[in-house]
Amino acid sequence: MCNHLGAFLLFIFSVFYGGANAATNQGVQKDLPKNERETISSTVGQVGDQVLTSREVVISNVVDMALLVVGIKSQKISRTGWLLKENSEAFRQHLTQSMLELVVNLEAINFSVAEISLDEIKTKTHQINDLLKDWSEWKSIEVTNVELEAIILRKLRAKSFLKFKMESSGVQIRDEEAKLYYDKNRVKFGNLQFDQFRSSIKEFLSKEQLEDKLKDWFELLKRKYKVRYLGTFEN
């Protein structure tokens, strides 16, 4: 799965439920001596019978960021925002994203779709290990290959299934719908004719309807798999 698709699907999660924001410093865990680092092993969420720990959320965010940049060799990669602090808003946002990934992953397993090859998982694991091998903060978390492969599999399967849902959504915009939007928003288009905007309007409306469908689907899955926050994050 290409990096552009991964970035888009990560954006889809963030639009509705607050994905981690790698572009800011909010919630970043600075490099500290080992005895001063926060403990990242509390229970923070549950999806069905699966319990999610804060350590897994921290690892998940790093893996997300790493998957977006693996293979980039032309410039030095900044890791600002990759390591989250448990008491930050960025952490809570990624916790929500992680639980959504879990429910989409479970749904993919139930429908026996979006299978990911072992070779792809091994390749991504090797790439991430190579990318992070000199980062002392990452090494201090002591992530095993088994853990890393499990998280990568979950992410790739969830993104693959989400792509399948998007492609099979059947969202089609008729010319009449596009013309109605054009007429209602006439001031935006000035003196230019509808035919000049037909394709762009249909693309915009299609994306809007797709987002609504995905949001409804996410809400259904959250109820189906009894998603809930735990510990200090519990409502």
Side-chain angles (χ1 to χ4, degrees), residues 45 61 69 75 94 115 191 200 223 231-232 234:
N61 188 67
V69 300
Q75 60 183 355
H94 195 78
E115 289 304 318
N191 295 322
S200 59
R223 293 192 296 270
T232 56
E234 191 168 6

Side-chain angles (χ1 to χ4, degrees), residues 24-29 81 83-91:
T24 72
N25 291 327
Q26 181 184 20
V28 179
Q29 184 167 309
L83 203 60
L84 302 176
K85 289 168 59 176
E86 186 176 335
N87 61 355
S88 69
E89 178 59 26
F91 179 93

Side-chain angles (χ1 to χ4, degrees), residues 30-42:
K30 305 297 184 181
D31 289 349
L32 297 173
K34 190 169 184 178
N35 61 350
E36 295 181 26
R37 297 183 191 125
E38 294 186 10
T39 301
I40 50 172
S41 58
S42 58

